[in-house]
Amino acid sequence: MDRYNEKDIESEIIDYRNSTFRRNDKILRVRPPIVSVMGHIDHGKTSLLDRICSTNVLSKETGGITQTINVHHFHADKRYNEKAITFLDTPGHSAFFNMRLRGIDMTDIVLLVIAIDDGIMQQTIETIQYAKSFDIPVIVAVNKIDKKISFNKDIENYILKYGVQSERLGGEDQFVYVSAKTGEGIDNLLEAILVQAELMELKADRNCPAIGTITESFLDKRRGPVVNVIIREGVLKIGQVILCGFEYGKVKKIIDVNGKNVEEALPCVPVQVLGLSDIPLAGDKLIVLKSEKKAKNFATIRRARSREIELDIQKSSIMQENKKNFFKKDNETTTLNIILKTDTQGMMDAIQSSLDEINRTYCRKNIQKYVKIIRCGVGQINTNDVILAITSKSIIFGFNVQTEHISKKFLVRNHIDIRYYSVIYKLLQDVEDELRRNVTKKVYDRKVQIGTLNVQNIFHLKDHHSTIVGCMVVKGRIKKDSLISIFRGEKMIFQDIQIDSLQRFQSKVNEVKEGDECGVRIKPHVKLYIGDMIAAFEKKNDP
């Protein structure tokens, strides 16, 4: 196969689209603005969107931080001439650099959220630099004004040196003071966004083959590969052939933000699309083509070219490593082998880039320790992952995913170290802790799953400091000193909770086995639902 680069492939795709689609006059219509909500962690970005869109996203966010690009479509009422706004809620944690960059790449307006009690922070400066480099207008929302802090203009003065100048100080950047908690200033903020969008005269062509951007992708057990997409031009319709990075297919379903099936996706309105051959990368372009055969051909060429580049990088890396270790003893270099499984493609990218940064940090300090990702992927931990962990002596890291039922016996039998996470900084902290130890030796205090329980009843106590759940042990057993993690569907809700007590009928017991019912007291209080699954673990100390 000929060696292609991405520009050659893009050029071929454009030529093919121009030759197969009949060129008609453009039909330009006003489209909603795409607004990226950005800023430092815990400055209230998601809370602000909750107040605007009434979505209550924050209650669903593990650890209280946004870990994906959440997309919201807000329909304004008659006060704003029934106009619409598409919001992208981007993560503020430093680990999500690539996600923020991907969000800003498809943005018309940046809504920079600054907490009045914190002021200018690291991600605030980073956001301004992004916006300036992409020449995107910035609207600053100074949040948390409900806190009794005087309305001085320190933020407006201090931010001047980063190139953001408020209208009060003679500039063009709008500053709006708001409270996500009380709703104060929200109307002024929406008006500022819509005025900015009107000045920009945002329009999209509705009479051309659709082109969009993947904001997130994941694998659903029932529906298959699912992509969240925002169409930038044209109208996407059911039955059309689409190409997304290395994947292709026909559009089977289009689902809007309310979960309803629709026949088409209009420009700048976020939707979910089903029908692709596999999960594409977050940030890939979605392109409509005429022929499924041609789409498959383009996907194959891209995949082959990517594989060539990957092999070249691996070869170069091996040569560099051999050269670096030529004068070193074997025991001077410590390697932590990892198998990584996540719930979404975007999360996998974020964790990978953070692990790369850990490697670079150790390299700069001339410390011969590094993380090696043996395999990474989206979806549940399966038997192949477990077998690879055995052969490569790897630790399995699962982020918001469970282990397939059939694979659990392999884990127990082979004493595989498997760890589940729902907050990214806890995973990264564990990786650094492992690197500080001599990871070539056995890992101490391993956590082994010993049982699975189904929540059948929930008893809320008056003190509100604990919860008692009635459970059925469906697999294995649970002990009175077990650690537990709680899953809702495939998503981990809580992790590593120490149970307060274990009861069978009215008596406290040390252990409950498969097929028996029990009462588990959990402290502190956690919000559970009937049907949730509980995984019970015990710690194993290697000799």
Side-chain angles (χ1 to χ4, degrees), residues 36-39 45-46 49 66 68-70 88-93 99-100 102-104:
S36 273
V37 184
M38 307 184 81
K45 300 181 293 296
T46 305
L49 276 179
T66 301
T68 58
I69 293 182
N70 292 313
L88 302 179
D89 181 12
T90 61
H93 192 277
M99 278 195 191
R100 288 195 296 278
R102 190 166 70 244
I104 208 167

Side-chain angles (χ1 to χ4, degrees), residues 85-103:
I85 305 169
T86 295
F87 288 102
L88 302 179
D89 181 12
T90 61
H93 192 277
S94 58
F96 298 100
F97 175 89
N98 289 336
M99 278 195 191
R100 288 195 296 278
L101 198 57
R102 190 166 70 244

Side-chain angles (χ1 to χ4, degrees), residues 191-236:
E191 188 176 344
I193 292 169
L194 292 170
V195 166
Q196 181 65 55
E198 196 170 327
L199 290 172
M200 296 171 74
E201 297 182 346
L202 302 170
K203 294 181 180 180
D205 184 5
R206 294 197 180 185
N207 199 33
C208 68
I211 297 177
T213 304
I214 307 297
T215 60
E216 193 55 273
S217 60
F218 58 95
L219 186 65
D220 188 285
K221 282 199 301 186
R222 292 179 294 105
R223 301 183 296 170
V226 181
V227 294
N228 297 342
V229 62
I230 294 179
I231 301 301
R232 298 307 305 263
E233 270 190 345
V235 178
L236 182 67

Side-chain angles (χ1 to χ4, degrees), residues 49-68:
L49 276 179
D50 279 352
R51 172 63 68 170
I52 293 171
C53 303
S54 303
T55 50
N56 197 24
V57 173
L58 190 59
S59 64
K60 306 172 190 175
E61 293 290 353
T62 308
I65 62 171
T66 301
Q67 302 187 123
T68 58

